[in-house]
Amino acid sequence: MSDLAKGARIVVAMSGGVDSSVTAALLKRQGYDVVGVTLQLYPGAVAKKGACCAGQDIYDAKRVADALTIPHYVLDYESRFRKNVIQDFADSYAKGETPIPCVRCNEKVKFADLLDTAREFGAQALATGHYVRRVMGAGGAELHAAADPARDQSYFLFATTQAQLDYLRFPLGEMEKPQVRAIAAELGLVNAAKPDSQDICFVPEGRYSDIVKKLRPDATRPGEIVDQSGAVLGRHDGIVHFTIGQRKGLGLSGNAEPLFVLSLDAARARVVVGPRSALSASAILLRDINWLAASDAPFDCAVKVRSMRPPVEARVTPLPNGAARVELLAAEDAVAPGQACVFYSVGHGRVLGGGWIARAEPAQQAAE
């Protein structure tokens, strides 16, 4: 934070959790003019252990702000969140995809609307409790993975633009979670021992199909479960209940080998299943690429195709209209449309960009 003068105003996005609370505390301790902002994203918030952004969270954020003696504001972002995150979530499932609402929330709400609001407050920066690093390079601010690989959240921030990154700050990027909790305990913050959020914040009891059914009832249309040749093996009660790589809950038995969901055909309400070997993909087509280190030519890097998977070596070829093709040096299983593929510099952890998975090519097809 040395690039900002002491006394500079910084807005901190305070979710009510320990990470954003310690972010505010650290900045206040360093002599900045800190303003806390909490977003009210939806009515009827879930108040259960492990939930994120529950109704209690707004109260917790307010208590922390009071303890730190900083101003605190609650902003009503319900309509924006409903349009850009919840509706997109339902639409994606209805198309047979596996969405990542946390990326959309960062992209469309926190780092778009909230960033504008921070400027209206006269702030010189917006800070969050994400575990990522902002590193100044020759070309400006760069996004890097967190120092602690176990806490790294860079995958969820791949859609951050260069202009946003110039304004954002991430004070926890060099820290580990035990350090953060220790600071919270030292300061006597009410949420020092609060559990980390684990569920999608707007999905009660983890039943995401209830949300989709309400907004996109066509996604719960019954259909057929078929094998790769199109032979009907069974029936299902909506593609919304399935995702690529799923094995359990298919309702199929008596097969020579275990069957997995290979693809979802939303137009025909079909679930295509097959052996585990058919899940292997060696190439991926991406759409809506966000570049943080632009390149017109093919380049080698490491990529992540799921948030919890380690990066794997790959070659990325930029294509027209914001697309790209990724060739994986080692095949990956269960690459699902709707998930993200994020590019990292090999050995350095810098986020070079990323995009949304449109299609995965089976390993044998990519080799032909």
Side-chain angles (χ1 to χ4, degrees):
M1 303 294 294
S2 58
D3 58 326
L4 295 179
K6 298 300 181 184
R9 176 166 293 178
I10 301 177
V11 165
V12 176
M14 299 181 68
S15 66
V18 66
D19 295 327
S20 59
S21 297
V22 169
T23 294
L26 290 174
L27 295 177
K28 174 70 182 296
R29 178 187 287 178
Q30 292 166 14
Y32 294 104
D33 176 15
V34 178
V35 177
V37 172
T38 301
L39 304 182
Q40 181 175 318
L41 299 180
Y42 45 87
V46 183
K48 69 184 184 70
K49 184 178 179 180
C52 170
C53 304
Q56 179 68 31
D57 292 343
I58 294 176
Y59 180 59
D60 288 345
K62 174 63 176 173
R63 293 175 68 190
V64 169
D66 288 345
L68 298 176
T69 65
I70 62 173
H72 178 252
Y73 300 89
V74 178
L75 305 181
D76 183 357
Y77 273 38
E78 285 186 22
S79 62
R80 307 178 218 201
F81 187 74
R82 183 169 56 251
K83 175 183 176 183
N84 293 313
V85 180
I86 300 179
Q87 186 64 58
D88 178 84
F89 176 83
D91 290 345
S92 186
Y93 263 116
K95 291 186 290 188
E97 298 177 342
T98 305
I100 318 175
C102 292
V103 173
R104 289 301 191 196
C105 186
N106 291 324
E107 176 189 13
K108 301 291 188 179
V109 179
K110 293 179 181 176
F111 292 171
D113 295 334
L114 181 54
L115 191 142
D116 291 338
T117 299
R119 288 197 173 98
E120 293 174 2
F121 274 103
Q124 292 181 249
L126 170 66
T128 76
H130 287 101
Y131 287 84
V132 295
R133 291 180 296 152
R134 178 184 181 273
V135 177
M136 291 305 298
E142 300 173 353
L143 182 65
H144 287 243
D148 181 0
R151 302 299 307 180
D152 176 48
Q153 294 173 300
S154 59
Y155 177 88
F156 297 102
L157 303 187
F158 85 89
T160 305
T161 67
Q162 186 62 57
Q164 292 167 348
L165 191 57
D166 289 338
Y167 192 70
L168 289 163
R169 300 294 187 275
F170 309 105
L172 305 188
E174 299 286 352
M175 303 178 68
E176 297 183 351
K177 189 70 173 209
Q179 292 176 270
V180 172
R181 290 202 182 277
I183 293 172
E186 173 195 338
L187 295 173
L189 300 184
V190 295
N191 52 10
K194 188 173 183 176
D196 292 338
S197 58
Q198 299 173 350
D199 299 332
I200 299 173
C201 61
F202 56 88
V203 179
E205 304 299 328
R207 295 193 298 268
Y208 66 87
S209 59
D210 291 352
I211 299 289
V212 181
K213 183 177 181 179
K214 179 180 178 181
L215 297 176
R216 290 297 304 268
D218 52 313
T220 59
R221 176 164 54 104
E224 299 171 335
I225 301 177
V226 302
D227 64 16
Q228 292 169 281
S229 68
V232 177
L233 304 180
R235 301 279 301 175
H236 66 80
D237 57 358
I239 61 171
V240 67
H241 300 291
F242 302 89
T243 189
I244 307 301
Q246 179 177 331
R247 176 185 174 185
K248 296 181 179 179
L250 301 182
L252 304 175
S253 60
N255 301 289
E257 58 182 318
L259 297 177
F260 298 79
V261 175
L262 304 181
S263 64
L264 300 171
D265 185 343
R268 294 191 288 178
R270 275 189 161 188
V271 176
V272 181
V273 299
R276 185 183 184 89
S277 59
L279 282 172
S280 183
S282 289
I284 309 169
L285 183 65
L286 306 180
R287 58 177 173 80
D288 301 330
I289 302 295
N290 178 62
W291 294 108
L292 287 174
S295 176
D296 295 328
F299 62 94
D300 296 326
C301 64
V303 303
K304 292 182 71 170
V305 297
R306 289 286 179 108
S307 63
M308 299 304 294
R309 291 189 189 177
V312 296
E313 293 185 16
R315 186 167 182 78
V316 176
T317 301
L319 300 174
N321 302 316
R325 177 183 169 84
V326 178
E327 297 174 69
L328 303 168
L329 271 63
E332 285 276 282
D333 285 347
V335 177
Q339 293 284 294
C341 178
V342 180
F343 318 144
Y344 294 85
S345 60
V346 177
H348 298 285
R350 180 187 176 186
V351 178
L352 306 176
W356 298 98
I357 297 172
R359 187 177 72 251
E361 296 180 5
Q364 60 269 28
Q365 176 180 328
E368 293 173 356

